[in-house]
Amino acid sequence: MIDKLVANIKKTNAPVVVGLDPMLSYIPASILNRAIEEYGETLEAAGEAIWVYNKGIVDATYDLIPAVKPQIAMYEQFGIPGLKAFEKTVDYCQEKGLVVIGDVKRGDIGSTSTAYAVGHLGSVQIGSKKCSGFHEDMITVNPYLGTDGIKPFVDVCKEEKKGIFVLVKTSNPSSGEFQDQKVQGRPLYEMVGEYVDQWGSDCVGECGYSAVGAVVGATYPEMGKVLRGIMPKSYILVPGYGAQGGTADSLRPYFNEDGLGAIVNSSRGIICAYKQDQYASYGEANYADASRQAVLDMIEDINRIF
């Protein structure tokens, strides 16, 4: 799957991923009201509204971007109807040729990690048939439990030709409380980066990058520069651009000289573009067109650093 991601990035010349992280407050009133008219004030209405909203954004942007990243918690908050909307979103994006990165941040002891890996990337045997669960192409994982928590994900990636992004240095302000602490004189995030490099050493694709990537926030470019060197074959998923304060100029250390090696996420900045002053003229009815313009602006902004 890392080969498809890189191919999509080259095709679109857009090292960006759209974070499909819906909240009801983001959804135009017309969409939400129609769903409530059909399903009442229920979780089913919320799930339907989210799906319709997502579909509009995907239809308006899929030809511009290589990938999407739905954050599963935004769907889980609406229970089973929310998860059905998540599944429909994954299916639809894959039909459009997009790589789907499930932002699920899973990680646990070995047997539980195996179940998570199978549920999101693999398949289960039911009688004589194999059935897939959410079947994203790649997912985010938490390495805090160590190698035996990550190995099941790597094994499934090899078997299914999927991929993972391991949390290494996250973009949130308090990430340093743990990730920056010194272990044997070095920051913990550097040690995690070394493990990421090792975990992915035997699953490198034809593109030269590993199926085991890393999450490194845009808000810490100096750390990103160090980690780029520690993980030369890992693709870096970069959150924190835009709403969290990351800028295009801060992104350069994450990329290699050929403009590959990293993919930058924007969620609210794209899916809520119509609520921003610079795109307000589109209005609620044309929210998806505003998202398309926000994607075009983001692509231009990032590509100017090369």
Side-chain angles (χ1 to χ4, degrees), residues 167-170 179 186-194 196-197 214-217 220-234 236 253-254:
L167 304 181
V168 175
K169 175 59 184 173
T170 56
Q179 296 166 20
R186 302 178 62 204
L188 178 59
Y189 64 79
E190 289 190 13
M191 296 184 67
V192 176
E194 289 179 347
V196 168
D197 186 61
V215 177
V216 183
Y220 303 105
E222 289 304 314
M223 298 175 186
K225 182 177 181 180
V226 171
L227 288 165
R228 175 73 282 167
I230 291 173
M231 306 177 294
K233 293 188 180 300
S234 293
I236 298 178
Y254 300 80

Side-chain angles (χ1 to χ4, degrees), residues 17 19 21 29 55 70 81 90 98 104 146 167 183 188 243 247 271 303:
V17 54
D21 304 351
K55 184 177 183 297
V90 171
L98 297 169
V104 301
L167 304 181
V183 181
L188 178 59
T247 65
I271 68 174
N303 282 342

Side-chain angles (χ1 to χ4, degrees), residues 8-31:
N8 278 8
I9 291 171
K10 288 180 177 179
K11 178 182 176 181
T12 57
N13 192 31
V16 305
V17 54
V18 173
L20 296 175
D21 304 351
M23 298 284 285
L24 286 188
S25 60
Y26 300 171
I27 298 175
S30 59
I31 293 176

Side-chain angles (χ1 to χ4, degrees), residues 10-165:
K10 288 180 177 179
K11 178 182 176 181
T12 57
N13 192 31
V16 305
V17 54
V18 173
L20 296 175
D21 304 351
M23 298 284 285
L24 286 188
S25 60
Y26 300 171
I27 298 175
S30 59
I31 293 176
L32 182 57
N33 289 340
R34 280 198 303 272
I36 291 174
E37 285 175 10
E38 184 173 356
Y39 295 98
E41 294 178 332
T42 63
L43 293 173
E44 285 74 16
E48 175 66 11
I50 287 168
W51 156 242
V52 172
Y53 175 66
N54 283 353
K55 184 177 183 297
I57 291 169
V58 172
D59 285 343
T61 61
Y62 76 91
D63 61 317
L64 303 176
I65 59 176
V68 293
K69 184 176 71 64
Q71 162 52 258
I72 199 168
M74 301 305 180
Y75 302 83
E76 288 177 341
Q77 65 183 321
F78 301 111
I80 299 303
L83 287 177
K84 288 181 177 178
F86 179 85
E87 183 179 24
K88 288 173 72 174
T89 297
V90 171
D91 287 343
Y92 191 68
C93 290
Q94 289 173 335
E95 288 172 9
K96 292 292 188 181
L98 297 169
V99 172
V100 177
I101 303 169
D103 194 354
V104 301
K105 297 184 176 70
R106 299 300 195 245
D108 211 308
I109 60 172
S111 60
T112 311
S113 277
T114 298
Y116 279 139
V118 167
H120 286 278
L121 298 174
S123 58
V124 291
Q125 190 78 34
I126 303 175
S128 62
K129 293 185 178 181
K130 283 191 172 183
C131 302
S132 297
F134 291 113
H135 60 81
E136 301 101 306
D137 300 307
M138 311 176 90
I139 60 171
T140 57
V141 298
N142 192 324
Y144 193 74
L145 277 77
T147 297
D148 63 350
I150 295 296
K151 186 177 183 297
F153 292 100
V154 177
D155 289 344
V156 171
C157 284
K158 291 177 182 177
E159 181 180 345
E160 303 285 346
K161 294 183 170 54
K162 299 291 185 78
I164 58 174
F165 289 97

